[in-house]
Structure formats: structure tokens, C-alpha cells
Amino acid sequence: MSKRPWGYQPLNKRPDPQWALHPDTHAVRTGLSRSGFGETSEALYLNSGFTYSTAEEAVASFADETDHFVYGRFANPTIAMFEQRLAAIEGAEFCVATGSGMSAMFASIACMVKSGDRIVASTAMFSSCYVVLTEILPKWGVTVELVDGNDSKAWAQALSKPTRVVFIESPSNPMLDIVDIKLVSDLAHKVGATVVVDNVMASPVLQKPLELGADVVMYSATKHIDGQGRVLAGAILGSRDYLQDHLSQFIRHTGPSLSPFNAWVLVKSLETMGMRVERMSNSAQQIAEFLEDRSEIKSVRYPGLKSHPGFEIAKKQMSGGGTTLGIEFKGSQKDAFAFMNRLRIIDISNNLGDSKSLITHPATSTHRRLAPEVRAEMGITDSVLRLSVGLEHSSDLLKDLKQAF
Ligand SMILES: *Cc1c(COP(=O)(O)O)cnc(C)c1O
């Protein structure tokens, strides 16, 4: 999948392979493969096919005996640059890019399960992930058991039986529930399960699930990785064995490929991701502290607040509270809507992880598809708003929030 692009890079201009580079350096350097023109920035190879100089070279390429690219559904030089860069930042053996976060989520699990297999997952999750697990996979004979992500006894009980896959979203969208990734991974491995973490809300900057014991990490790159509201994309990261034994064949033949153009946007986005996410997370912390003291607010869900039930675990496994807050108003949905409508800088939008601050009402938008009982279980009441904090200066965001009350 991520073949080394066969571009030109003089040998004396490559870092010593022994150097353990900082993720910030990987973010601007790793994966870069220059063409013979020696361009500074990553090149965009916007093509679906590749040519061969001889029939024999075509044979060797199809037999995987050369590094020659074959077809856009399998690999592309620009996509490979994005995959190698993200893998280096994450500390994973490989990365496969996909066309959306949902295709990454679906492929990461579907490539492993067959009829009769069992999946265990934490209840609080993004609604499309919930639909995949509770409606689509069960149609094909896969059993899914959901547990309260905060309840270690419930995890121990659910993981006392043979399990194929454990799926965790931590922090969860939109209520920022925290699951102890290490604890659950240890339990899961005892029953032979593969642990998949949806790390969208934390981003590669604030949480490294593979270091905590998870086997596979998936992203919606639409969120913090692009982080500028431009492209839809996804990524799956993990071990070489997972790629060879499960994912590679599934991806090659089902085709959830990313466009090279979108990969080119993303490879440039990775250069600034660390700075963006750290800044957004610092602002979100300030805003969470401000909102927690407001009399109009019933509760603020933010992993960087001591009041969050998962605060201690979040402190252990994340290097910041994240960019997103769940805000529950004391009043009704009408009051929450009035607040949204009075905002002058923060946009009403269902996206998150963007450079622009965005606010949404999950019960009627992102999580509308869930039954009211399921929303209630996730704590998504009609007076909950989700705020994704962007790159505007925090003083202006605080000004906007204050005037909206
Ligand atoms: C947005 C999101 C997804 C889906 O990603 P798309 O790029 O929209 O397909 C999956 N998981 C979480 C937690 C998300 O926020």
C-alpha cells in the first residue's frame, strides 16, 4: 500500500535512520519524495494509472517484485507521502489512507470479522460508527455488545468471553467520555481480541493509542488532520501483521481509496497539525474553565476539567484536554438555540477540529440518527451543545461567548 515513492532525493540529504526524530520533524520531512525536478514542496501526482517501459516490467510490478506503482486504487506517490508521514507521527508500522473517516472505521473492523464473531465496544460514540456496529455488521451475523466505557467491571465481564474486535472511541463525540485504553487493551488481549481505537477527538497530537496497548488506530482526517474544512479523508494505522493478514486485501478489492488531490492537501496539513491542535486545545481549556463558572450552564464536559469523571485517566493518556467541549445548558433546547443564534464569531456547523470555531446541537444534527433512549444513555440531551474550539484568539472567543449569554 505505502510503497516508497521512487523519487529523487540525494543520499546525503536524508536524516540518519538511527536518529529518533521528533514528531514535529516527521510532520514536515518524513515521506517527502522529490521527483527529478527537486521541487521543495511535496508534488501532486494526480493520476489513476502508471506506465511500464517493457511488458516484463509490468509483470514484475504486478508480482510485487518492484516498487513500481500499478494503479491508483492500490497506491499513489502523493498518497504514499501522506501515509508515511502520518505513520511516522503516530509511531505506527504502516498507514493506509481512505476516502473518509467512516470508510476507515468500517474497513478497520470489517476486514477482521466473519459471521459468528463477537465485537465489544464502548457505548458512547459517533453516530455513524454506532450504526455500523449495531445495524450493518449484525446483518452479516456479527454480534455486538456495548458497555459503559467508564465501567471497568463491565469491560471485565464483557471481555471474559472470546472476542474478535474491541472498538473504543476516547474521548467520545460529543460528550468526551474517556475510556482507559490500557486497561481495556490488556483485558482484550487476554481473550485474543484486536483493539481498534477511534482517535479522532484526541488527534495524533494529544493521544497515542498504540503506545497505550491498542493494536489499530483510525482517523477521520477530515477533522484535526486537515483541520481547515477542505477535504474528507480517513486513515488506518497499525502493525505490519494486521496490514498483511487482514487490511491490505480488503482495501485493495473493496476500494475505499483517497483521492491524490486530497492526500496532497493533507500532507501539507500535517506540517501544521501539531501547532494547530496544541493551540486549539489550550484555548479550549480556557473556555471550559470560563463556561464552568457561568450560572446558565448545568455542566461542562471537558477532559481537562477536574469535574470530568475521566479526568485522572485523561491526564494519564492524553497530553491535553482536546479541542472540543460538551456544554449542557440549564434551560431548554430553545435557550440553547437562542445562545447559538446570538454568537457572532463562532459558526453553527456540524464539523469539528477546524481552524474556525464551530458549535452544533448534536441531538438534532450529528446524533439525530440515534434513538432517543440511546442519546439519553450517551448524555446527549436536548440542551447539550458541542463546541469545537478553533484558531481564533481565545480572548475573542471568550468575548463572543460572554455576549451570547
Ligand atoms: C467525524 C467522525 C467520524 C467520521 O469521519 P468522516 O470523515 O466524516 O467520515 C468518525 N468518528 C468520529 C469520532 C468522528 O468525529
Side-chain angles (χ1 to χ4, degrees):
M1 219 122 295
S2 54
K3 278 187 182 166
R4 180 85 210 162
W6 43 288
Y8 155 87
Q9 178 81 312
L11 274 176
N12 64 351
K13 291 301 292 177
R14 285 182 199 277
D16 186 323
Q18 300 303 316
W19 295 350
L21 298 176
H22 191 279
D24 290 354
T25 307
H26 282 306
V28 288
R29 290 283 170 183
T30 301
L32 170 61
S33 182
R34 293 186 169 125
S35 77
F37 294 118
E39 65 282 353
T40 315
S41 180
E42 294 71 11
L44 168 55
Y45 294 89
L46 191 57
N47 60 303
S48 51
F50 300 86
T51 60
Y52 312 94
S53 36
T54 61
E56 289 73 18
E57 188 179 48
V59 174
S61 305
F62 268 81
D64 253 347
E65 288 160 5
T66 72
D67 268 357
H68 201 299
F69 286 91
V70 173
Y71 187 50
R73 174 148 46 78
F74 309 156
N76 164 285
T78 306
I79 297 173
M81 289 193 234
F82 168 63
E83 291 172 334
Q84 287 173 12
R85 184 164 293 180
L86 184 57
I89 294 169
E90 190 74 41
E93 287 177 10
F94 80 89
C95 170
V96 173
T98 62
S100 71
M102 283 320 301
S103 58
M105 184 272 176
F106 180 67
S108 71
I109 296 176
C111 73
M112 272 188 298
V113 293
K114 61 180 186 319
S115 172
D117 280 346
R118 181 166 176 273
I119 297 176
V120 175
S122 43
T123 309
M125 68 176 90
F126 182 62
S127 72
S128 293
C129 300
Y130 194 88
V131 172
V132 167
L133 291 180
T134 62
E135 294 178 33
I136 296 175
L137 291 174
K139 269 200 312 209
W140 298 334
V142 175
T143 335
V144 178
E145 185 176 331
L146 299 175
V147 301
D148 173 354
N150 300 314
D151 185 345
S152 53
K153 283 205 193 80
W155 280 111
Q157 193 173 18
L159 293 174
S160 60
K161 285 177 264 179
T163 307
R164 189 75 190 95
V165 175
V166 170
F167 181 75
I168 299 170
E169 183 176 310
S170 181
S172 68
N173 179 358
M175 294 312 282
L176 294 314
D177 283 1
I178 300 290
V179 177
D180 189 330
I181 297 173
K182 181 164 187 335
L183 178 124
V184 175
S185 299
D186 289 347
L187 289 169
H189 291 152
K190 283 191 193 133
V191 289
T194 298
V195 179
V196 179
V197 175
D198 180 336
N199 204 33
V200 168
M201 301 302 281
S203 89
V205 181
L206 301 177
Q207 179 168 270
K208 298 262 186 275
L210 300 177
E211 286 174 11
L212 298 165
D215 304 293
V216 178
V217 177
M218 57 121 305
Y219 288 106
S220 162
T222 319
K223 312 292 167 60
H224 301 91
I225 294 177
D226 171 31
Q228 290 150 87
R230 299 168 298 185
V231 301
L232 211 65
I236 306 165
L237 298 108
S239 68
R240 182 111 350 242
D241 285 351
Y242 168 78
L243 176 72
Q244 279 161 3
D245 299 345
H246 305 288
L247 189 65
S248 180
Q249 198 227 24
F250 186 90
I251 294 271
R252 257 178 114 95
H253 301 294
T254 59
S257 331
L258 180 64
S259 138
F261 180 80
N262 290 356
W264 177 77
V265 171
L266 293 166
V267 80
K268 303 307 292 175
S269 306
L270 286 177
E271 296 185 345
T272 56
M273 175 178 66
M275 294 159 61
R276 286 186 280 108
V277 172
E278 271 170 32
R279 166 85 174 266
M280 285 152 64
S281 180
N282 289 340
S283 299
Q285 178 77 38
Q286 283 180 47
I287 290 170
E289 287 166 12
F290 160 75
L291 290 174
E292 201 171 35
D293 290 338
R294 291 292 306 204
S295 59
E296 300 88 341
I297 299 293
K298 186 167 163 197
S299 67
V300 179
R301 273 299 201 110
Y302 183 69
L305 289 179
K306 283 206 183 69
S307 58
H308 190 294
F311 175 73
E312 290 301 328
I313 299 166
K315 215 165 65 175
K316 248 185 1 194
Q317 65 189 23
M318 294 172 71
S319 58
T323 64
T324 315
L325 297 80
I327 309 163
E328 185 168 16
F329 278 71
K330 277 185 185 152
S332 62
Q333 173 173 320
K334 213 171 123 235
D335 299 309
F337 274 23
F339 180 80
M340 287 170 91
N341 293 340
R342 282 192 296 264
L343 290 165
R344 295 176 172 210
I345 294 176
I346 300 166
D347 287 309
I348 300 171
S349 170
N350 44 279
N351 205 357
L352 63 88
D354 199 276
S355 53
K356 294 185 171 52
S357 293
L358 307 173
I359 199 158
T360 191
H361 183 252
T364 53
S365 62
T366 54
H367 291 68
R368 173 197 179 89
R369 177 71 175 70
L370 302 177
E373 315 83 76
V374 177
R375 278 204 299 271
E377 210 179 318
M378 294 186 186
I380 309 170
T381 68
D382 289 344
S383 45
V384 162
L385 297 182
R386 184 190 71 196
L387 174 64
S388 167
V389 178
L391 285 174
E392 303 92 343
H393 198 274
S394 57
S395 61
D396 290 329
L397 294 175
L398 288 167
K399 205 182 293 169
D400 195 20
L401 292 163
K402 268 181 212 156
Q403 65 82 30
F405 276 117

